Amino acid sequence: MKRLFGIETEYGLSMPDGNPRTQVNDSRRLVAACTVPHALGWDYSNEDPRADIRGFRATHLSQDPVDAAFDEGARPGGADERADRILVNGARFYNDHGHPEYATPECSRLLDLVAHDRAGERIALAAAKAVGATLYKNNSDYSGASYGTHENYLVPREMSYERMAAGLLPLLISRQLFVGAGKVGSEAGRPVEFQLSQRADFMTEVAGVDTLYRRPIFNTRDEPHADAARWIRLHVICGDANRSEWATAMKVGMVSVALDLIEIDEAPVWRFADPVRAFSDLSKDHEFCWKIALGRDSWTTGPDVLESYLAAAGKHLAGKDAETDWVLSEWNDALIDLRTDPTRLADRADWAAKRALLATYAEDVGKWETDAMRAAELEYHDIDPATSLFDVLVDMGRMRRLVEEARIGDCMATAPNTRAKHRGQVVAEQADRIEAIGWRRVVVGGKAVEFEVEGTQ
C-alpha cells in the first residue's frame, strides 16, 4: 500500500508480587530487561500530544482516575521514567503508565506490519521472562482501567479533519464486526455476558485529542513525526489488541482503503444519530442484528455499512495493488460469512474464536460463570506460546496464519524498507554515540540527521 503505518501496543502486566503502587517501576524494570540490541535517549523534541488537527492546542489532557492510581508509586521522573529502548529493527520499546509498550517500526506493507507486530510480542515476552512477569495482549484489566492498541497512518496534510472524520467514523465503528478482540462482560453501560470489542466500554466521545480518559472514537492528535507542513499522522485509538494475524492485517488494511477513498472523494456518506452509542450497541448485540440508528425511525446495520465501503472500493480501487486486492477479497469473504453465519469467522476473527472457545467451556461445566470465563479469556491473550489458548488454536490449525516463524524472527533484528531502515542502521552501528533519536531524526556528535518518509518505501 502507498502509505506508512504502524501499531503501538500497551501490554497488560502481571508480576508475582506486583500491585498498583509498583506497577510503573515493574514496567520500567521489564523494559530495561530488553535483550534486543538497542540505543537509549529518545528524542521528545518533536512531540506535542496536545496539538489538535482541528487547528488548536488543548489546554490539558484528561487523566483517568483509575490510571492515576498506577502512577502513585515511586516514579523516577525525567529521562528514566519511560525507560526507552530504541531497537535495531527500528521499533521503540518503553514504559507507558505502568504498561510495557511496543511501537512497531513504520511499515508500508501489511504483511511487514503483521510480522513486526508479532516480533514485538516475542521481544516483550523475552523481557517478561527475564523479570518473571506475564504479559497479556489485551485492553482491559476488568477493574475499570483500559490500555490502548493504537494505529498510526501517514496522511497528506491537505486531507482535512472534516473529510477524515466523515469518511472514517462509520468504518471505525462497524469494523469491530471483523476485528474486535472479544470481551467477557461489560464495564460500562448495559451489562452483557460477552461483546465484540475490548475498547467499546471506554469510548465516550466522538472526537477529541485525549487518549487516557474521555476517549474518542476519532482521535484528533496532531503529532505527525514528520514534516508538519506536509503530513498528518492519523492516530486511531479505538481498536483492539489482536492476537489474530488476519485481524491485525484487516484492521489496518480497511482503514487504509477508507483513506484512499477519502482522498478521491468516494467514501460512503453515513450520519449516525449517536456514534458513541452505535459503537457500544454493535459490540453488545448478542442477537447479531447490529442495527445503527440514523435518525428517528431510520436505521442501517453494521454489515450494510461495511458493504458500502467494500462496494466503493471495488469500483474505484480494485487492481490498484496486490495488497488492496487481498484486503477487498478478504473483506468480501468475511462479509458473506458475517451475514450467513458469524460463527464461520472463528478461524480468523478474535472475537469469534474466543466466543466459540468459551461457549465450549460453558457447555462442559454447565453454565457461564463470568470469573472463570475471564480467567480463560486472559489465557487467550497471554503472549507466551507455552501457555496461550490462542496458540493452542493456532497449533490445532483452527486459526489462520499469515506470516512464517522465520519472518517473525527476522523482524526482531531487521527493520522494514522504510525510513525505519535508516534508524535501525544507526542503532546497529553507532548506538553508543547517539545523543537523541526518534521517529524523525537522530542526533550524533551534535549533528541532527533527518529520516525522510519518502524514498525508502
Side-chain angles (χ1 to χ4, degrees), residues 17-145:
D17 300 317
N19 62 72
R21 292 190 61 82
T22 66
Q23 188 85 1
V24 171
N25 284 341
D26 289 342
S27 176
R28 289 180 59 251
R29 185 157 63 93
L30 186 150
V31 172
C34 177
T35 59
V36 173
H38 59 266
L40 306 177
W42 187 254
D43 183 5
Y44 288 95
S45 63
N46 289 310
E47 300 193 9
D48 184 2
R50 287 190 282 162
D52 195 301
I53 59 175
R54 292 172 290 185
F56 58 86
R57 190 170 184 272
T59 57
H60 69 283
L61 298 177
S62 300
Q63 176 70 29
D64 188 332
V66 178
D67 281 346
F70 294 115
D71 295 342
E72 291 176 358
R75 296 179 64 176
D80 289 338
E81 184 171 313
R82 290 197 174 229
D84 280 295
R85 267 47 180 175
I86 305 90
L87 310 186
V88 71
N89 67 349
R92 180 188 176 200
F93 190 37
Y94 55 106
N95 159 59
D96 191 1
H97 294 272
H99 297 275
E101 181 162 349
Y102 184 89
T104 69
E106 309 91 318
C107 297
S108 60
R109 300 171 187 243
L110 285 178
L111 291 190
D112 282 351
L113 181 61
V114 172
H116 275 280
D117 183 63
R118 293 299 307 275
E121 293 179 12
R122 303 297 167 80
I123 290 168
L125 176 61
K129 287 186 173 182
V131 298
T134 302
L135 291 181
Y136 301 101
K137 196 180 183 187
N138 69 344
N139 300 108
S140 170
D141 68 353
Y142 310 121
S143 299

Side-chain angles (χ1 to χ4, degrees), residues 167-175 254-255 258 305-306 309 331:
L168 284 176
L169 264 171
L171 180 70
L172 293 177
I173 292 167
S174 57
R175 69 172 184 168
M254 293 171 77
V255 171
V305 173
L306 292 175
Y309 280 89
W331 195 327

Side-chain angles (χ1 to χ4, degrees), residues 1-15:
M1 292 183 161
K2 68 180 183 180
R3 70 184 72 256
L4 294 181
F5 33 62
I7 296 176
E8 309 159 57
T9 300
E10 297 178 50
Y11 288 95
L13 169 62
S14 175
M15 295 284 281

Side-chain angles (χ1 to χ4, degrees), residues 26-338:
D26 289 342
S27 176
R28 289 180 59 251
R29 185 157 63 93
L30 186 150
V31 172
C34 177
T35 59
V36 173
H38 59 266
L40 306 177
W42 187 254
D43 183 5
Y44 288 95
S45 63
N46 289 310
E47 300 193 9
D48 184 2
R50 287 190 282 162
D52 195 301
I53 59 175
R54 292 172 290 185
F56 58 86
R57 190 170 184 272
T59 57
H60 69 283
L61 298 177
S62 300
Q63 176 70 29
D64 188 332
V66 178
D67 281 346
F70 294 115
D71 295 342
E72 291 176 358
R75 296 179 64 176
D80 289 338
E81 184 171 313
R82 290 197 174 229
D84 280 295
R85 267 47 180 175
I86 305 90
L87 310 186
V88 71
N89 67 349
R92 180 188 176 200
F93 190 37
Y94 55 106
N95 159 59
D96 191 1
H97 294 272
H99 297 275
E101 181 162 349
Y102 184 89
T104 69
E106 309 91 318
C107 297
S108 60
R109 300 171 187 243
L110 285 178
L111 291 190
D112 282 351
L113 181 61
V114 172
H116 275 280
D117 183 63
R118 293 299 307 275
E121 293 179 12
R122 303 297 167 80
I123 290 168
L125 176 61
K129 287 186 173 182
V131 298
T134 302
L135 291 181
Y136 301 101
K137 196 180 183 187
N138 69 344
N139 300 108
S140 170
D141 68 353
Y142 310 121
S143 299
S146 180
Y147 29 98
T149 302
H150 299 173
E151 305 146 50
N152 300 286
Y153 304 84
L154 191 69
V155 177
R157 176 63 63 174
E158 58 264 26
M159 189 185 292
S160 67
Y161 157 72
E162 290 79 11
R163 289 173 66 199
M164 279 196 293
L168 284 176
L169 264 171
L171 180 70
L172 293 177
I173 292 167
S174 57
R175 69 172 184 168
Q176 63 182 298
L177 304 184
F178 290 170
V179 301
K183 180 179 178 179
V184 173
S186 173
E187 295 183 70
R190 178 166 58 90
V192 289
E193 286 187 344
F194 185 84
Q195 58 179 309
L196 301 185
S197 170
Q198 296 241 319
R199 290 285 269 178
D201 285 339
F202 304 96
M203 296 294 115
T204 63
E205 316 294 322
V206 175
V209 74
D210 285 305
T211 60
L212 299 177
Y213 195 52
R214 297 181 62 85
R215 296 177 179 92
I217 300 170
F218 187 93
N219 186 259
T220 57
R221 178 180 293 184
D222 189 6
E223 199 176 40
H225 301 326
D227 182 354
R230 300 184 58 194
W231 302 107
I232 293 170
R233 176 179 61 108
L234 173 66
H235 193 54
V236 175
I237 72 167
C238 63
D240 289 354
N242 293 109
R243 298 302 319 275
S244 163
E245 295 175 356
W246 180 89
T248 297
M250 285 298 290
K251 72 181 176 186
V252 175
M254 293 171 77
V255 171
S256 294
V257 164
L259 288 170
D260 286 346
L261 290 172
I262 293 168
E263 286 185 359
I264 60 174
D265 293 321
E266 294 293 348
V269 177
W270 293 97
R271 292 181 176 87
F272 296 169
D274 187 339
V276 173
R277 179 172 179 176
F279 202 117
S280 178
D281 285 351
L282 258 64
S283 181
K284 294 182 176 181
D285 185 355
H286 66 277
E287 295 181 349
F288 296 165
C289 297
W290 295 313
K291 293 176 68 176
I292 301 171
L294 300 176
R296 186 174 181 178
D297 300 324
S298 178
W299 299 82
T300 187
T301 70
D304 286 343
V305 173
L306 292 175
E307 188 165 15
S308 71
Y309 280 89
L310 178 62
K315 180 178 180 180
H316 298 286
L317 303 178
K320 184 176 77 72
D321 57 66
E323 287 200 329
T324 297
D325 285 348
W326 179 87
V327 171
L328 299 186
S329 176
E330 292 293 324
W331 195 327
N332 181 70
D333 292 347
L335 192 56
I336 291 172
D337 287 341
L338 192 72

